[in-house]
Amino acid sequence: MTREIAVVAFAQTDHRRTSDELSEVEMLMPVLHEVLDRTGLKTSDIGFTCSGSSDYLAGRAFSFTLALDGVGAWPPISESHVEMDGAWALYEAWTKLLTGDADTALVYAYGKSSPGSVRDVLTRQLDPYYVAPLWPDSVALAALQAQALIDAGYTDEPALAAVAARSRADAQANSHAQLRGSVPHGDYVVHPLRTGDCPPIGDGAAAVILAAGERARELCERPAWIRGIDHRIEAHSLGVRELTDSPSTRLAAEKAGVFERPVDTAELHAPFTSQEVVLRNALQLDDDVHVNPSGGALAANPIMAAGLIRIGEAAARIHRGESDRALAHATSGPCLQQNLVAVLEGEPRHVQ
Amino acid sequence: MTTEVLKAPLVVEFPFTRSLGPVQSAFLTGLREQVVLGVRTADGRTLVPPVEYDPVTADEIRDLVQVAPTGTVTTWAWNPAPRRGQPLDMPFAWALVRLDGADTALLHALDAAGPDAVHTGMRVRVRWAAERSGAITDIACFEPYDSEIGGEVGAHDGQFESMVTGIVAQARLDYTYSPGRAQTAYINALAERRIVGERCPSCRKVYVPPRGACPTCGVATAEQVQVGPGGTVTTYCIVNIKARNLDIEVPYVYAHIALDGADLALHGRIGGIPYDQVHIGLRVEPVWTEGGRYPDHYRPTGEPDADYETFKELL
C-alpha cells in the first residue's frame, strides 16, 4: 500500500539583498532549528536529509558540504543533495519515504546570490555549444518569452504590471518577503520586461519536514498531505519549444492529479510576471484560485530555495486552515524549462 | 562585539573545453565556412541549430541539410545595456530567428537601431564575423534584411576541409567572497598570530577552524576559544610529488595537528625536522614567516612526545 506523506513543518529566512555577515551555514541554521522546534524532533531523529543548492552561486566547489555542519552529520546520517532547487530535493525525500526506508525527512535549500552576479551566473546552465558563448542572461531569456506572449495576444505590458502589483501587495502580509507593497514598475531591463516584472535578487534559505502516515499526525495538528507530485522537462533549446505554453507544467499537473478537482490556492514559482501568465494557462487556474498569496517569487526569489518555498507556503496555508487543497509549483532552467507540481491537501475539518 | 566581516574579490575563470559530435562538428565547421547547416528529423522537420537526437522521439539524427543565411524573427527582446561576453557592445536585440528552410529558431543578437526598429516577423540575415574559428560566435549577429523567404536549401554532406572537433568556451564569473562571521574572526586572529576556535554550547567541543556550527550537534557556535600555540601530531603522510607552483622541496610531511585546547585536528606542513623523523605524538608549534597571514608550517617544540591518552580521541 502506498504511504501517505505530508509536509508537517516549514520555515524560511527573511530574504534580503545581501547577507554577507553570514556564511551559508550560518544563514541556514535558524530555519533548520525552527522546523525541528516546531515538530519537537532532534537532528538525530530525522530519517533522511536532502538539500538543494548551487556551487555556481557560491563560486566554490562542493559548497553544500559545509552546510552539512548545520544538520549534525555526525554520527553518520542518511543524506543526499541535488544541485537544483530544493523542490527537487523534496521530491527525492518524498520517494525515499515512499520506500519505507524512513518515516521523517528534513529538506532544506539555500542560495546566496549576493556574492556574484546572478544574471551572469545563470548563463552557465545553458547549452555550452550554441548558447552559453553568447552570454544571454536570465532576464533576456525571460524577455524573449514575454514578447512571444505579447505577440500571441496572451498578455500586454499593463497586464504584466498588474501581476507585479498584485504580488507585491499580497507580500505585505509576508514578513519574510524582500519586496513588499508598492514597488515602482521601473525602466526596461530587457524590453519588454521592466524592473517591476523581474524578481528581486537576494539571499535566503528554507526548510521543511516531511513525515509519513501516523508520524505526520503526531508531529502536526493538520498535516499538508502530498496527494501527488510530478516533474517534467522540455528540450533545452529555446528554439524548439513553444514559449507561450508550458506543456511540461501541464503534464506534471495532470500526473500529480491537479485536474481531478479544483484547488483553492496556487503557489507558483514564476520569477517573471510573464511566466505567471504561462503557468495560469497551463494549469487552467480560474480567477477564484488564490494565486501566490505569499507574493511569490516576485516578492522574494532566493535562487535554489524559491521553489521549495512555494511548497512550504502552500503547506503552511493548509497547516493554518486557510486552504484545503493547494497546488505548489517549482521551476528550473530558462523560460520554465523544468517544472514540478505538487498537490497538497488538509484533512476535512468538521463542519458545525 | 561585532566586527566587519572580511570580503575579497573572487574570480572563477576556466576554459570550458568540449569535444563535438558529428552533427555539432559539421554545424560549427560550416559556420567557419559561412554555411549554415541543419539536421532533418524522420518526420521531415529541419532543426537549426542541429542536434544529434530528435527532441521529440530521441532518435539519432544525422541527416544534414544546408539552410539559408536569411530568416524571420520569431520573438525578440531589446537589450539596452549589453553585458560582458554578449555578442555586441552597444544596445541590441536578442532574437530567435527561424532561418529560411528551418522549422526551429536559433538564438543570437540582432543589430538594429532601436526597439522600434525590431518586430516579430521581420526579415534578417546573418552578419558573419570577420575572423571565424568554428564557433557560434562566427555569426557576429543578425542584421535587418529586406528579402523574400528563400535562398539555397538542400542536402549537404557536412564535410569540410579540417573539421572543427572541439570548442573552448571561456567562462569567467566574478564574486565578492565573504567567509561569514566565524571564519572572519578566525582569519583576523591569524593576522595577530593567534589561532581561535569556537566551543559548541551543547557538546562543549572546540572546533578549529570555526565555521559557526557544530558539525556533530548541528547548533550554532559563538564562544571563541584561543587554542595552541602548541599541538600534537595525530597522523601524517609523506608527500613525494612536487605540486605545481609550490616552492617546497619533496619529500615533506603533511600532518594532522591537534592544537592544545582544540577538539578537532587541523592540517599543516611539518618542517624543521627530517621527514623520516616525524611521528605520531610529536609536539609542534606554528611558524609564521614575515608578513605571513597564516602559519607557514609547524616545527617541533623539543618537548617530550605527548602521552597517547591525551590525543587518542582526536585520531
Side-chain angles (χ1 to χ4, degrees):
Chain A
M1 186 189 149
T2 306
R3 305 181 98 196
E4 286 193 306
I5 293 155
V7 177
V8 296
F10 167 59
Q12 61 184 317
T13 55
D14 292 342
H15 306 293
R16 293 183 293 153
R17 180 63 188 87
T18 61
S19 58
D20 53 11
E21 75 283 10
L22 300 174
S23 66
E24 277 131 341
V25 67
E26 288 168 338
M27 182 175 74
L28 182 61
M29 259 185 306
V31 298
L32 296 174
H33 295 163
E34 197 178 327
V35 287
L36 290 167
D37 287 349
R38 287 225 177 122
T39 51
L41 293 170
K42 299 188 295 293
T43 52
S44 54
D45 299 327
I46 297 290
F48 181 61
T49 298
C50 198
S51 60
S53 68
S54 170
D55 281 355
Y56 275 86
L57 286 176
R60 211 167 62 243
F62 294 101
S63 60
F64 77 94
T65 58
L66 295 181
L68 281 177
D69 285 351
V71 298
W74 181 266
I77 62 171
S78 173
E79 185 270 345
S80 182
H81 174 260
V82 297
E83 192 78 7
M84 296 183 78
D85 189 288
W88 277 266
L90 182 141
Y91 185 89
E92 182 176 336
W94 175 74
T95 57
K96 181 79 171 182
L97 295 197
L98 279 182
T99 67
D101 282 353
D103 293 329
T104 53
L106 171 64
V107 180
Y108 64 90
Y110 62 93
K112 280 185 73 173
S113 294
S114 60
S117 166
V118 75
R119 284 174 72 182
D120 299 325
V121 165
L122 290 176
T123 64
R124 300 300 92 192
Q125 69 181 333
L126 302 170
D127 160 18
Y129 303 97
Y130 300 158
V131 183
L134 306 175
W135 292 83
D137 61 281
S138 48
V139 182
L141 297 176
L144 288 167
Q145 185 173 34
Q147 185 64 45
L149 285 166
I150 291 169
D151 286 333
Y154 289 122
T155 192
D156 54 26
E157 291 189 41
L160 296 180
V163 169
R166 194 211 72 236
S167 296
R168 274 102 189 208
D170 282 348
Q172 288 275 41
N174 177 358
S175 63
H176 301 287
Q178 189 178 334
L179 278 188
R180 284 181 276 169
S182 178
V183 174
H185 208 48
D187 296 328
Y188 289 115
V189 184
V190 180
H191 185 286
L193 295 179
R194 297 171 182 269
T195 49
D197 293 306
C198 302
I201 294 169
D203 300 351
V208 306
I209 288 178
L210 300 182
E214 279 310 306
R215 198 79 182 95
R217 291 189 181 85
E218 290 163 20
L219 296 171
C220 180
E221 204 169 308
R222 192 170 193 250
W225 298 104
I226 300 172
R227 296 301 187 205
I229 183 167
D230 197 270
H231 63 106
R232 300 282 157 161
I233 187 167
E234 296 173 40
H236 205 66
S237 174
L238 295 178
V240 306
R241 283 159 53 188
E242 175 51 75
L243 294 179
T244 58
D245 194 8
S246 184
S248 55
T249 298
R250 186 178 297 110
L251 185 57
E254 187 190 318
K255 299 290 181 187
V258 170
F259 303 127
E260 288 165 15
R261 53 198 186 84
V263 297
D264 55 47
T265 302
E267 278 285 342
L268 305 180
H269 185 192
F272 297 93
T273 52
S274 43
Q275 294 178 343
E276 184 178 304
V277 176
V278 176
L279 293 171
R280 274 179 182 267
N281 179 39
L283 293 164
Q284 301 165 28
L285 297 179
D286 295 334
D287 285 344
D288 55 1
V289 177
H290 205 165
V291 173
N292 288 345
S294 65
L298 286 162
N301 189 40
I303 308 273
M304 298 297 147
L308 180 64
I309 290 170
R310 304 281 71 76
I311 300 174
E313 289 278 10
R317 280 179 74 79
I318 289 169
H319 296 160
R320 295 193 298 263
E322 295 163 3
S323 168
D324 292 323
R325 181 172 156 90
L327 177 157
H329 160 265
T331 196
S332 183
C335 300
L336 302 171
Q337 188 197 359
Q338 296 190 57
N339 295 285
L340 177 148
V341 176
V343 180
L344 305 172
E345 282 184 355
E347 275 157 353
R349 286 159 291 178
H350 293 291
V351 182
Q352 296 209 323
Chain B
M1 188 188 75
T2 54
T3 47
E4 196 115 320
V5 292
L6 293 171
K7 286 182 194 177
L10 170 69
V11 178
V12 176
E13 199 167 15
F14 50 94
F16 211 28
T17 307
R18 305 192 70 96
S19 56
L20 303 172
V23 170
Q24 290 173 315
S25 170
F27 175 68
L28 293 178
T29 309
L31 294 185
R32 191 189 66 199
E33 305 304 323
Q34 304 188 21
V35 169
V36 186
L37 297 180
V39 70
R40 190 157 281 165
T41 64
D43 64 359
R45 288 174 310 129
T46 298
L47 310 181
V48 180
V51 291
E52 290 153 331
Y53 296 90
D54 188 313
V56 177
T57 63
D59 288 341
E60 187 173 321
I61 37 179
R62 293 287 183 273
D63 189 10
L64 294 166
V65 289
Q66 181 172 352
V67 300
T70 54
T72 304
V73 171
T74 64
T75 186
W76 61 280
W78 185 257
N79 182 22
R83 302 169 75 77
R84 185 175 67 200
Q86 294 183 344
L88 296 171
D89 58 10
M90 56 195 175
F92 67 89
W94 289 106
L96 280 168
V97 176
R98 189 167 56 229
L99 292 170
D100 298 339
D103 295 295
T104 61
L106 171 84
L107 177 71
H108 219 295
L110 167 61
D111 184 8
D116 295 339
V118 186
H119 62 273
T120 296
M122 78 184 281
R123 297 284 297 153
V124 296
R125 71 171 167 191
V126 170
R127 180 191 296 165
W128 296 104
E131 286 180 28
R132 297 179 305 280
S133 61
I136 192 66
T137 45
D138 288 354
I139 297 175
C141 62
F142 284 92
E143 60 190 19
Y145 182 63
D146 204 11
S147 75
E148 295 299 307
I149 294 175
E152 68 273 40
V153 177
H156 195 286
D157 65 4
Q159 292 304 307
F160 300 93
E161 238 177 82
S162 67
M163 297 293 290
V164 176
T165 57
I167 59 165
V168 179
Q170 291 293 338
R172 174 186 167 130
L173 294 169
D174 286 74
Y175 301 88
T176 302
Y177 180 71
S178 170
R181 178 202 55 80
Q183 293 181 91
T184 287
Y186 175 73
I187 293 166
N188 282 338
L190 281 183
E192 297 167 8
R193 301 194 171 190
R194 292 184 300 118
I195 299 174
V196 297
E198 283 183 353
R199 190 186 303 281
C200 171
S202 173
C203 69
R204 307 300 295 161
K205 284 188 172 171
V206 173
Y207 291 95
V208 58
R211 289 201 286 257
C214 171
T216 307
C217 305
V219 299
T221 58
E223 184 194 337
Q224 274 187 24
V225 179
Q226 189 161 326
V227 298
T232 303
V233 171
T234 63
T235 188
Y236 65 95
C237 64
I238 299 164
V239 179
N240 285 288
I241 295 173
K242 201 170 171 65
R244 197 157 45 162
N245 305 325
L246 193 62
D247 191 23
I248 298 170
E249 285 306 310
V250 291
Y252 65 86
V253 172
Y254 182 73
H256 275 192
I257 299 151
L259 292 173
D260 297 343
D263 291 292
L264 187 74
L266 47 67
H267 27 88
R269 182 170 63 89
I270 306 296
I273 179 174
Y275 73 91
D276 56 358
Q277 290 177 27
V278 175
H279 54 274
I280 290 172
L282 181 70
R283 294 286 297 162
V284 293
E285 63 186 4
V287 178
W288 268 270
T289 50
E290 186 67 33
R293 298 286 305 270
Y294 50 87
D296 178 72
H297 64 276
Y298 290 78
R299 69 179 170 211
T301 60
E303 296 166 82
D305 283 358
D307 180 7
Y308 178 70
E309 290 298 315
T310 65
F311 63 88
K312 68 175 185 184
E313 296 294 327
L314 298 170
L315 287 176

